[in-house]
Amino acid sequence: MSIPTRFRAFRIHNDATGYHAGIETLALDDLSPGDVVIKTAYSSVNYKDALAGTGKGKILRQFPLVGGIDVAGHVVASTDPRFKEGDPVLVTGCGLSETRDGGYADYARLDARWVIPLPAGLTLREAMILGTAGFTAALGLLRMIENRQTPALGPLAVTGATGGVGSLAIAIFRKAGFEVHAISGKADQADYLRALGAHAVLGREALAPNRPLDSARFGGGLDNVGGAMLASLLAQTAPYGNVASCGLAASPELHATVMPFIIRGVSLLGVASAGTAREIRDEVWRRLAHDWKPDNLDAICTHETTLDTLPEVFTRMLAGGSLGRTLVRIDSGH
């Protein structure tokens, strides 16, 4: 397939005129170097994308860059023998929209080290509904299970439950056989959360207590929020349960004591999806395509957008108005 001389991309700048982003036309040689060129079919919108696209967070380490930390499409050219024209592939994280051009473009040039062949059992669209959000949730579950988390320890709490990571965590954890309790400040979305598989929907007050050690209520959980809610979740986790930390929507700070760790043997596990080693990355995607694949991905994809309307999506997400996952359709032929 021939690559057009010019194509569209959502590019982010920070220069003498300030921080700005929008649609531009680029040539392939304008993109970061790489071994694999794909015609992009889909990307997605993550909280990190909204921060990067608006300048509200220091995500990009160099400028200018094409935004989008997720991308999926078909190979159109490759100098790496592992990939041939027509292969469906995906990349999440791995420096996209941070140190190299990302997925918000008609074409993406990628580092072959991080290109994942689309697993059997997933379509490109499903892969991007999952994207970094689903990968993060599943990586958190993998870390917990590797540290002996079992359903017998009790329900898993998911904070920030209506967001992308939270929504997918509920569905993935439920598919893996765990009871899930969703923690959310959006009481009007209780039916949505139950439809994803939440056994119980609790308000934020469930994690309001601030005692060093509280009654054990959860077997563990995935925290997207940070701050006081994470401290309270640790204090309410059963002996030898695990809490995976993957976000800071409320606060990057953690004011807690060592009591849950030294009295109950609770573990706090970090989830850093962007830099995950390739062998772990492959395992997570294998699980997402098979035994952990949610049955309700279409319900989790609550919004579909294009490159042109990304700024509005970013604004809504940063204002707390997003629900589930937003898919970005790049190639209208898919």
Side-chain angles (χ1 to χ4, degrees):
M1 178 187 293
S2 61
I3 301 171
T5 305
R6 309 289 291 180
F7 53 86
R8 284 164 35 101
F10 184 88
R11 206 177 197 199
I12 304 167
H13 296 260
N14 190 9
D15 52 30
T17 64
Y19 201 102
H20 56 102
I23 303 296
E24 300 177 22
T25 57
L26 302 180
L28 187 64
D29 287 342
D30 293 325
L31 299 180
S32 307
D35 320 278
V36 180
V37 179
I38 70 166
K39 181 170 174 48
T40 306
Y42 297 101
S43 183
S44 69
V45 181
N46 301 278
Y47 194 73
K48 196 171 178 180
D49 293 312
L51 292 173
T54 59
K56 300 295 185 184
K58 295 182 179 179
I59 306 299
L60 275 66
R61 299 185 189 177
Q62 63 187 62
F63 296 90
L65 282 180
V66 174
I69 66 173
D70 294 340
V71 65
H74 290 97
V75 174
V76 293
S78 175
T79 58
D80 188 296
R82 291 173 294 178
F83 302 98
K84 64 181 186 301
E85 185 175 336
D87 286 349
V89 298
L90 66 98
V91 179
T92 58
C94 301
L96 296 186
S97 190
E98 184 176 348
T99 58
R100 59 179 298 118
D101 290 301
Y104 292 162
D106 292 331
Y107 290 84
R109 188 157 60 178
L110 307 167
D111 187 331
R113 292 178 301 164
W114 304 116
V115 177
I116 306 289
L118 183 71
L122 285 179
T123 65
L124 291 173
R125 185 175 188 276
E126 289 172 333
M128 288 294 95
I129 295 174
L130 289 164
T132 286
F135 179 83
T136 299
L139 179 59
L141 180 58
L142 183 67
R143 293 219 63 199
M144 288 190 278
I145 288 175
E146 287 177 341
N147 208 38
R148 301 196 170 195
Q149 190 76 36
T150 67
L153 287 176
L156 293 180
V158 175
T159 65
T162 60
V165 176
S167 295
L168 284 161
I170 292 167
I172 291 166
F173 295 177
R174 182 69 190 88
K175 190 67 182 287
F178 289 85
E179 182 177 307
V180 185
H181 289 190
I183 315 291
S184 175
K186 299 178 179 177
D188 58 327
Q189 297 300 337
D191 289 344
Y192 165 78
L193 295 170
R194 290 191 183 94
L196 298 186
H199 179 81
V201 179
L202 310 174
R204 291 173 182 158
E205 65 276 5
L207 294 180
N210 196 27
R211 287 182 281 182
L213 203 63
D214 223 321
S215 299
R217 184 175 188 178
F218 306 106
L222 182 77
D223 177 62
N224 292 284
V225 175
M229 290 186 75
L230 174 54
S232 184
L233 178 54
L234 289 167
Q236 295 187 57
T237 295
Y240 294 96
N242 299 278
V243 175
S245 171
C246 68
L248 41 66
S251 173
E253 297 184 0
L254 177 59
H255 300 285
T257 76
V258 298
M259 303 287 276
F261 310 130
I262 66 175
I263 293 178
R264 289 188 181 151
V266 170
S267 294
L268 176 59
L269 307 175
V271 181
S273 61
T276 305
R278 177 60 190 254
E279 62 271 19
I280 301 174
R281 193 171 290 275
D282 287 339
E283 171 65 8
V284 170
W285 280 108
R286 186 189 69 78
R287 301 296 290 265
L288 283 172
H290 296 97
D291 50 324
W292 290 356
K293 181 182 178 181
D295 296 322
N296 41 14
L297 281 175
D298 282 336
I300 295 171
C301 181
T302 58
H303 187 62
E304 197 164 316
T305 191
T306 64
L307 293 180
D308 298 283
T309 53
L310 283 172
E312 292 90 335
V313 174
F314 296 158
T315 300
R316 185 173 66 249
M317 179 172 282
L318 294 179
S322 63
L323 176 71
R325 286 284 281 161
T326 295
L327 187 74
V328 183
R329 180 184 291 272
I330 309 289
D331 183 356
S332 59
H334 287 267

